[in-house]
C-alpha cells in the first residue's frame, strides 16, 4: 500500500521529533539505553530518508534550501554501510540538519499548498 505525500510528510515530522527526544539520551550513563537510543535514532533517520525519496518534485522544488539528495543518500549509508556510521555524525545531523527540514516540511503543510 502506497502512502500519500501528506502521510510521508507526517512520517518525516514524527521521526524528526523522535530523533530530537532520543538524542538527549546519548549523554546518559546507561550504556544499554544509549545503545537503544542510537539504534532508534538511526531507524528514524532511515524513515526520514525513505519518506523524502517519495516526495513529489513540487514539494522538493518548493524547498531548495534542503539538501534532499543528501537526505536520501544518508538513508542509504545508514542501511548499507551501517558498520561505518559515526554517532557524532548522527548527533550533528539530528541537532543541526533536522530542525531546518522540519521547518521546511511544516511550512509546506501550513501554507496549504496542494500536496498531490
Amino acid at each position: 500500500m502506497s502512502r500519500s505525500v501528506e502521510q510521508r510528510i507526517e512520517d518525516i515530522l514524527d521521526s524528526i521529533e523522535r530523533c530530537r527526544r532520543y538524542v538527549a539520551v546519548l549523554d546518559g550513563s546507561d550504556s544499554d539505553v544509549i545503545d537503544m537510543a542510537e539504534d532508534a535514532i538511526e531507524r528514524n533517520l532511515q524513515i526520514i530518508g525513505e519518506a523524502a525519496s517519495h516526495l513529489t518534485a513540487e514539494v522538493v522544488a518548493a524547498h531548495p534550501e534542503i539538501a534532499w539528495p543528501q537526505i536520501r543518500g544518508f538513508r542509504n549509508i545508514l542501511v548499507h554501510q551501517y558498520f561505518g556510521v559515526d554517532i557524532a555524525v548522527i548527533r550533528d545531523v539530528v541537532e543541526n540538519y533536522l530542525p531546518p527540514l522540519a521547518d521546511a516540511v511544516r511550512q509546506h503543510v501550513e501554507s496549504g499548498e496542494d500536496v498531490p
Side-chain angles (χ1 to χ4, degrees):
M1 178 164 115
S2 182
R3 297 179 64 70
S4 70
V5 172
E6 292 93 348
Q7 289 171 315
R8 296 203 187 265
I9 288 173
E10 191 62 34
D11 292 341
I12 290 170
L13 290 171
D14 288 347
S15 290
I16 289 171
E17 176 56 25
R18 287 173 185 242
C19 286
R20 187 195 64 74
R21 288 192 337 253
Y22 301 156
V23 79
V25 175
L26 299 179
D27 293 326
S29 59
D30 185 331
S31 63
D32 289 335
V33 173
I34 292 169
D35 288 345
M36 285 188 285
E38 288 176 2
D39 291 346
I41 293 167
E42 287 183 31
R43 172 67 176 141
N44 280 280
L45 290 172
Q46 292 170 14
I47 291 169
I48 292 166
E50 184 66 19
S53 71
H54 292 282
L55 296 176
T56 62
E58 294 82 12
V59 172
V60 172
H63 302 284
E65 73 280 11
I66 301 301
W68 298 107
Q70 288 83 353
I71 292 170
R72 293 185 297 268
F74 194 54
R75 178 255 177 220
N76 292 335
I77 290 169
L78 290 169
V79 171
H80 300 291
Q81 297 176 4
Y82 57 88
F83 48 85
V85 175
D86 181 350
I87 192 61
V89 171
I90 288 177
R91 182 186 286 256
D92 181 56
V93 167
V94 171
E95 293 174 348
N96 297 307
Y97 294 93
L98 293 188
L101 174 61
D103 291 343
V105 294
R106 196 175 294 115
Q107 194 176 63
H108 187 80
V109 171
E110 291 170 358
S111 73
E113 296 175 41
D114 287 335
V115 180

